[in-house]
Tab-separated table of all heavy atoms in Angstrom:
chain	number	residue	atom	x	y	z
A	1	GLY	N	99.087	113.493	106.927
A	1	GLY	CA	99.673	114.436	107.874
A	1	GLY	C	99.393	114.064	109.306
A	1	GLY	O	99.131	112.892	109.622
A	2	ASN	N	99.422	115.075	110.182
A	2	ASN	CA	99.310	114.854	111.628
A	2	ASN	C	98.204	115.726	112.214
A	2	ASN	O	98.477	116.690	112.932
A	2	ASN	CB	100.649	115.175	112.310
A	2	ASN	CG	101.811	114.443	111.672
A	2	ASN	OD1	101.776	113.244	111.483
A	2	ASN	ND2	102.842	115.198	111.317
A	3	PRO	N	96.935	115.431	111.923
A	3	PRO	CA	95.857	116.270	112.440
A	3	PRO	C	95.853	116.316	113.954
A	3	PRO	O	96.131	115.323	114.627
A	3	PRO	CB	94.592	115.599	111.890
A	3	PRO	CG	94.996	114.200	111.566
A	3	PRO	CD	96.428	114.278	111.160
A	4	LEU	N	95.563	117.510	114.479
A	4	LEU	CA	95.516	117.802	115.913
A	4	LEU	C	96.880	117.698	116.574
A	4	LEU	O	96.992	117.848	117.795
A	4	LEU	CB	94.506	116.903	116.634
A	4	LEU	CG	93.080	116.907	116.066
A	4	LEU	CD1	92.164	116.060	116.937
A	4	LEU	CD2	92.542	118.313	115.927
A	5	GLY	N	97.926	117.424	115.795
A	5	GLY	CA	99.263	117.366	116.353
A	5	GLY	C	99.591	116.084	117.068
A	5	GLY	O	100.723	115.895	117.511
A	6	ASN	N	98.648	115.151	117.186
A	6	ASN	CA	98.956	113.888	117.864
A	6	ASN	C	98.451	112.658	117.117
A	6	ASN	O	98.838	111.543	117.451
A	6	ASN	CB	98.382	113.887	119.291
A	6	ASN	CG	96.902	114.203	119.337
A	6	ASN	OD1	96.211	114.109	118.334
A	6	ASN	ND2	96.413	114.578	120.502
A	7	LEU	N	97.602	112.851	116.126
A	7	LEU	CA	97.151	111.714	115.319
A	7	LEU	C	98.109	111.555	114.140
A	7	LEU	O	97.783	111.820	112.988
A	7	LEU	CB	95.716	111.950	114.851
A	7	LEU	CG	94.687	112.173	115.964
A	7	LEU	CD1	93.312	112.444	115.370
A	7	LEU	CD2	94.643	110.976	116.905
A	8	LEU	N	99.327	111.102	114.461
A	8	LEU	CA	100.409	111.087	113.476
A	8	LEU	C	100.128	110.091	112.361
A	8	LEU	O	99.644	108.984	112.594
A	8	LEU	CB	101.734	110.740	114.166
A	8	LEU	CG	102.132	111.591	115.375
A	8	LEU	CD1	103.539	111.243	115.826
A	8	LEU	CD2	102.035	113.073	115.060
A	9	GLY	N	100.453	110.498	111.148
A	9	GLY	CA	100.357	109.603	109.999
A	9	GLY	C	98.943	109.326	109.544
A	9	GLY	O	98.700	108.298	108.902
A	10	THR	N	98.013	110.231	109.816
A	10	THR	CA	96.629	110.028	109.403
A	10	THR	C	96.468	110.337	107.917
A	10	THR	O	96.945	111.364	107.431
A	10	THR	CB	95.684	110.927	110.215
A	10	THR	OG1	95.754	110.539	111.589
A	10	THR	CG2	94.251	110.800	109.729
A	11	MET	N	95.778	109.453	107.206
A	11	MET	CA	95.514	109.674	105.789
A	11	MET	C	94.010	109.761	105.571
A	11	MET	O	93.248	108.942	106.091
A	11	MET	CB	96.106	108.564	104.928
A	11	MET	CG	95.995	108.853	103.425
A	11	MET	SD	96.952	107.705	102.385
A	11	MET	CE	95.847	106.299	102.345
A	12	THR	N	93.593	110.769	104.833
A	12	THR	CA	92.193	110.921	104.447
A	12	THR	C	92.111	110.984	102.930
A	12	THR	O	93.079	111.338	102.260
A	12	THR	CB	91.577	112.192	105.056
A	12	THR	OG1	92.360	113.334	104.660
A	12	THR	CG2	91.561	112.113	106.567
A	13	GLU	N	90.967	110.634	102.381
A	13	GLU	CA	90.813	110.630	100.933
A	13	GLU	C	89.716	111.582	100.497
A	13	GLU	O	88.817	111.926	101.258
A	13	GLU	CB	90.505	109.218	100.429
A	13	GLU	CG	89.162	108.679	100.867
A	13	GLU	CD	88.836	107.358	100.207
A	13	GLU	OE1	89.391	107.108	99.117
A	13	GLU	OE2	88.029	106.604	100.765
A	14	GLY	N	89.804	112.006	99.254
A	14	GLY	CA	88.801	112.889	98.675
A	14	GLY	C	89.062	113.022	97.187
A	14	GLY	O	89.708	112.159	96.571
A	15	ILE	N	88.577	114.094	96.628
A	15	ILE	CA	88.791	114.368	95.207
A	15	ILE	C	89.297	115.797	95.059
A	15	ILE	O	89.255	116.594	96.004
A	15	ILE	CB	87.510	114.187	94.382
A	15	ILE	CG1	86.435	115.181	94.850
A	15	ILE	CG2	87.008	112.750	94.450
A	15	ILE	CD1	85.238	115.248	93.938
A	16	VAL	N	89.774	116.111	93.878
A	16	VAL	CA	90.070	117.499	93.536
A	16	VAL	C	88.736	118.179	93.270
A	16	VAL	O	88.030	117.846	92.319
A	16	VAL	CB	90.987	117.594	92.303
A	16	VAL	CG1	91.175	119.053	91.901
A	16	VAL	CG2	92.326	116.938	92.581
A	17	SER	N	88.382	119.138	94.126
A	17	SER	CA	87.094	119.814	94.004
A	17	SER	C	87.150	120.983	93.034
A	17	SER	O	86.152	121.308	92.381
A	17	SER	CB	86.626	120.311	95.378
A	17	SER	OG	86.556	119.236	96.299
A	18	ALA	N	88.304	121.661	92.962
A	18	ALA	CA	88.478	122.796	92.053
A	18	ALA	C	89.963	123.091	91.947
A	18	ALA	O	90.768	122.671	92.794
A	18	ALA	CB	87.718	124.029	92.545
A	19	LEU	N	90.329	123.814	90.897
A	19	LEU	CA	91.716	124.219	90.675
A	19	LEU	C	91.800	125.735	90.571
A	19	LEU	O	90.813	126.410	90.250
A	19	LEU	CB	92.268	123.577	89.400
A	19	LEU	CG	92.353	122.054	89.401
A	19	LEU	CD1	92.647	121.529	87.992
A	19	LEU	CD2	93.430	121.573	90.368
A	20	ASP	N	92.986	126.259	90.863
A	20	ASP	CA	93.261	127.698	90.716
A	20	ASP	C	92.328	128.569	91.552
A	20	ASP	O	91.875	129.630	91.113
A	20	ASP	CB	93.190	128.130	89.247
A	20	ASP	CG	94.266	127.477	88.408
A	20	ASP	OD1	95.367	127.245	88.947
A	20	ASP	OD2	94.004	127.174	87.228
A	21	ARG	N	92.027	128.101	92.763
A	21	ARG	CA	91.278	128.939	93.689
A	21	ARG	C	92.209	130.045	94.175
A	21	ARG	O	93.286	129.784	94.685
A	21	ARG	CB	90.790	128.123	94.880
A	21	ARG	CG	89.699	127.141	94.553
A	21	ARG	CD	88.435	127.842	94.138
A	21	ARG	NE	87.302	126.927	94.086
A	21	ARG	CZ	86.230	127.117	93.348
A	21	ARG	NH1	86.149	128.188	92.564
A	21	ARG	NH2	85.229	126.259	93.373
A	22	GLU	N	91.797	131.301	94.042
A	22	GLU	CA	92.702	132.374	94.448
A	22	GLU	C	91.996	133.529	95.101
A	22	GLU	O	91.885	133.586	96.323
A	22	GLU	CB	93.549	132.851	93.278
A	22	GLU	CG	92.798	133.037	91.975
A	22	GLU	CD	93.725	133.433	90.846
A	22	GLU	OE1	94.750	134.051	91.117
A	22	GLU	OE2	93.410	133.138	89.689
A	23	SER	N	91.447	134.495	94.326
A	23	SER	CA	90.998	135.755	94.910
A	23	SER	C	89.918	135.557	95.963
A	23	SER	O	89.874	136.274	96.953
A	23	SER	CB	90.466	136.670	93.806
A	23	SER	OG	89.398	136.054	93.115
A	24	GLU	N	89.036	134.574	95.787
A	24	GLU	CA	87.971	134.406	96.754
A	24	GLU	C	88.465	133.713	98.022
A	24	GLU	O	87.747	133.600	98.995
A	24	GLU	CB	86.808	133.603	96.148
A	24	GLU	CG	87.146	132.154	95.796
A	24	GLU	CD	87.632	132.034	94.362
A	24	GLU	OE1	88.305	132.956	93.884
A	24	GLU	OE2	87.337	131.006	93.740
A	25	ILE	N	89.713	133.253	98.010
A	25	ILE	CA	90.234	132.557	99.192
A	25	ILE	C	91.307	133.381	99.877
A	25	ILE	O	91.149	133.834	100.996
A	25	ILE	CB	90.810	131.168	98.797
A	25	ILE	CG1	89.719	130.328	98.116
A	25	ILE	CG2	91.354	130.454	100.004
A	25	ILE	CD1	88.547	130.006	98.996
A	26	GLU	N	92.420	133.593	99.226
A	26	GLU	CA	93.550	134.235	99.883
A	26	GLU	C	94.015	135.524	99.203
A	26	GLU	O	94.674	136.338	99.813
A	26	GLU	CB	94.747	133.266	99.933
A	26	GLU	CG	94.573	132.126	100.920
A	26	GLU	CD	94.644	132.600	102.346
A	26	GLU	OE1	95.185	133.691	102.590
A	26	GLU	OE2	94.147	131.908	103.239
A	27	ASN	N	93.679	135.673	97.923
A	27	ASN	CA	94.105	136.848	97.157
A	27	ASN	C	95.621	137.027	97.221
A	27	ASN	O	96.130	138.131	97.346
A	27	ASN	CB	93.409	138.107	97.673
A	27	ASN	CG	93.517	139.254	96.679
A	27	ASN	OD1	93.667	139.019	95.490
A	27	ASN	ND2	93.445	140.473	97.182
A	28	SER	N	96.341	135.901	97.159
A	28	SER	CA	97.797	135.953	97.253
A	28	SER	C	98.458	135.812	95.890
A	28	SER	O	99.671	135.936	95.791
A	28	SER	CB	98.303	134.833	98.170
A	28	SER	OG	98.058	133.564	97.591
A	29	GLY	N	97.674	135.543	94.855
A	29	GLY	CA	98.266	135.343	93.542
A	29	GLY	C	98.686	133.916	93.277
A	29	GLY	O	99.200	133.625	92.203
A	30	MET	N	98.489	133.025	94.227
A	30	MET	CA	98.823	131.616	94.037
A	30	MET	C	97.527	130.823	93.961
A	30	MET	O	96.806	130.676	94.953
A	30	MET	CB	99.679	131.107	95.204
A	30	MET	CG	99.973	129.606	95.140
A	30	MET	SD	101.038	129.142	93.750
A	30	MET	CE	102.603	129.809	94.310
A	31	GLY	N	97.167	130.356	92.777
A	31	GLY	CA	95.980	129.527	92.640
A	31	GLY	C	96.157	128.229	93.398
A	31	GLY	O	97.161	127.534	93.248
A	32	MET	N	95.177	127.867	94.220
A	32	MET	CA	95.297	126.718	95.102
A	32	MET	C	94.401	125.584	94.655
A	32	MET	O	93.420	125.780	93.930
A	32	MET	CB	94.972	127.121	96.541
A	32	MET	CG	95.846	128.258	97.072
A	32	MET	SD	95.503	128.670	98.784
A	32	MET	CE	96.353	127.339	99.623
A	33	ILE	N	94.742	124.374	95.101
A	33	ILE	CA	93.927	123.197	94.846
A	33	ILE	C	92.876	123.099	95.951
A	33	ILE	O	93.216	123.107	97.128
A	33	ILE	CB	94.779	121.916	94.841
A	33	ILE	CG1	95.900	122.017	93.802
A	33	ILE	CG2	93.917	120.688	94.590
A	33	ILE	CD1	96.952	120.926	93.937
A	34	GLN	N	91.621	123.014	95.565
A	34	GLN	CA	90.557	122.770	96.548
A	34	GLN	C	90.255	121.277	96.563
A	34	GLN	O	90.109	120.650	95.509
A	34	GLN	CB	89.295	123.551	96.196
A	34	GLN	CG	88.150	123.347	97.181
A	34	GLN	CD	86.883	124.044	96.732
A	34	GLN	OE1	86.928	125.082	96.075
A	34	GLN	NE2	85.743	123.478	97.084
A	35	THR	N	90.170	120.694	97.749
A	35	THR	CA	89.951	119.261	97.871
A	35	THR	C	88.910	118.965	98.931
A	35	THR	O	88.725	119.735	99.881
A	35	THR	CB	91.262	118.531	98.226
A	35	THR	OG1	90.999	117.136	98.396
A	35	THR	CG2	91.871	119.073	99.508
């Protein structure tokens, strides 16, 4: 993506930290990927 709006095309790496994160984060009903 484009962090800070000017570092265009920046790629960072990591791992999938958790899956189906929901109520403790947004409580929107959409389980999210934590990375």
